[in-house]
Amino acid sequence: ETGVTQTPRHLVMGMTNKKSLKCEQHLGHNAMYWYKQSAKKPLELMFVYSLEERVENNSVPSRFSPECPNSSHLFLHLHTLQPEDSALYLCASSQQTGLTYNEQFFGPGTRLTVL
Amino acid sequence: SQQGEEDPQALSIQEGENATMNCSYKTSINNLQWYRQNSGRGLVHLILIRSNEREKHSGRLRVTLDTSKKSSSLLITASRAADTASYFCATDSYSGGGADGLTFGKGTHLIIQP
């Protein structure tokens, strides 16, 4: 395995639900990421946490709320989602050196369906 | 905005043949990376080439980078059925804000026919 785990692997939720996605990395990396992968669209970077500090991404709707309590764990809190938010959500980690983005290690993803 | 763009979008070849995929990008980069994704799963890092490198090898993989043309190619030699996957290029195009991260293309879907 890649050393990055994600739970749950599949999630079905209604538009009024609140749920959270969890990511854990066992690689000792100092940066973690959330990506959204929709059909026929490039992988979209949602959030970056470097040394547990979030790098702002103003293009992501506020119904997505990240949390990084320590360098090994990353959460994505979801509330009042829309059907178009259905996608594969991928977590990744890397050892960032300075301002260079090095190779990233991805988790298996959470397949989210919003009804 | 999309940085990396792979070409072709889909490629089907016979097992044993070589597969070549191309990636073009728009802005200056620190490095360019190639990833593989099997259907519905996470991405796996294949190779990273820095902006001051022109060619890199890893097993059956060969990556080239031409910064003057803002393009890269990934060659898989002696393809196997297990190479069937989507392949993505990603660029680290730090522009001073520190928030760009990696920018991925839409990918090339490679099918190896047995």
Side-chain angles (χ1 to χ4, degrees):
Chain A
E1 274 297 353
T2 60
V4 180
T5 58
Q6 289 186 245
T7 55
R9 296 292 306 274
H10 300 271
L11 178 61
V12 179
M13 58 186 290
M15 290 192 285
T16 58
N17 291 158
K18 290 184 181 180
K19 296 287 184 184
S20 295
L21 308 185
K22 179 183 176 182
C23 176
E24 185 173 358
Q25 60 100 357
H26 311 272
L27 301 168
H29 288 161
N30 61 7
M32 297 186 76
Y33 313 81
W34 279 117
Y35 288 90
K36 176 184 178 183
Q37 186 176 36
S38 306
K40 298 182 181 179
K41 292 178 71 175
L43 205 63
E44 300 172 62
L45 177 65
M46 300 177 73
F47 299 104
V48 178
Y49 275 86
S50 179
L51 299 173
E52 300 167 43
E53 288 190 10
R54 183 172 81 185
V55 178
E56 293 295 329
N57 189 330
N58 296 324
S59 66
V60 180
S62 59
R63 57 185 183 269
F64 295 92
S65 175
E67 179 190 1
C68 187
N70 55 61
S71 61
S72 299
H73 294 86
L74 185 64
F75 295 88
L76 187 62
H77 303 299
L78 317 171
H79 63 97
T80 58
L81 294 192
Q82 305 297 312
E84 60 264 30
D85 297 323
S86 298
L88 181 67
Y89 288 85
L90 292 162
C91 173
S93 71
S94 72
Q95 186 62 24
Q96 191 171 341
T97 52
L99 296 167
T100 298
Y101 287 90
N102 297 314
E103 52 263 49
Q104 298 188 0
F105 294 77
F106 283 79
T110 294
R111 174 67 63 185
L112 174 66
T113 302
V114 182
L115 301 177
Chain B
S1 62
Q2 186 176 336
Q3 166 76 319
E5 199 161 323
E6 293 87 347
D7 170 58
Q9 290 187 358
L11 178 62
S12 180
I13 62 173
Q14 294 294 318
E15 194 167 17
E17 293 180 340
N18 296 340
T20 300
M21 288 158 272
N22 303 296
C23 171
S24 59
Y25 58 91
K26 297 187 175 82
T27 64
S28 297
I29 60 171
N30 292 320
N31 65 62
L32 184 144
Q33 304 176 32
W34 285 92
Y35 290 81
R36 184 188 74 224
Q37 183 181 34
N38 291 91
S39 181
R41 298 189 61 83
L43 280 72
V44 175
H45 181 264
L46 295 176
I47 200 164
L48 180 154
I49 187 165
R50 302 193 188 282
S51 59
N52 61 353
E53 297 175 311
R54 292 296 167 258
E55 188 171 312
K56 209 160 182 181
H57 298 255
S58 177
R60 293 184 296 113
L61 306 180
R62 172 178 170 253
V63 168
T64 61
L65 179 65
D66 187 333
T67 52
S68 66
K69 294 181 180 178
K70 292 186 168 58
S71 68
S72 172
S73 68
L74 170 66
L75 169 67
I76 304 175
T77 60
S79 63
R80 305 168 181 169
D83 294 329
T84 294
S86 291
Y87 292 81
F88 298 87
C89 70
T91 51
D92 171 19
S93 52
Y94 168 64
S95 60
D100 290 350
L102 290 181
T103 305
F104 286 79
K106 290 184 180 180
T108 291
H109 185 51
L110 176 65
I111 297 173
I112 308 299
Q113 306 278 5

